[in-house]
Amino acid sequence: PKPADGQTGAIFASGTGLSEPIGLAVGPDGNLYVGNYNGGAGSYVSRFDGATGAHLGTFVPGGSVQFGGALAF
């Protein structure tokens, strides 16, 4: 998709505390989902607005996934 008005597309999502983002997927809702490896049991999946890149929160909380990669819908 094209960057939102006023955005360059250089950085889409940032400032959310992701330490080791390892898995990316675009969901059926058009949002971006990022798996973050955080020491195994603490791994989690964050959700970002597909148009603006705004962080929408944690989709799957830490401790619920053992590995934040290989995302699929």
Side-chain angles (χ1 to χ4, degrees):
K2 293 174 58 177
D5 289 344
Q7 300 292 320
T8 65
I11 298 175
F12 183 73
S14 67
T16 62
L18 294 173
S19 59
E20 293 184 50
I22 55 172
L24 299 172
V26 176
D29 56 2
N31 290 325
L32 175 66
Y33 294 81
V34 180
N36 186 66
Y37 181 76
N38 192 20
S43 299
Y44 58 92
V45 178
S46 288
R47 179 172 45 190
F48 296 87
D49 185 284
T52 68
H55 185 240
L56 300 175
T58 301
F59 182 66
V60 178
S64 298
V65 292
Q66 295 208 6
F67 186 70
L71 302 175
F73 286 90

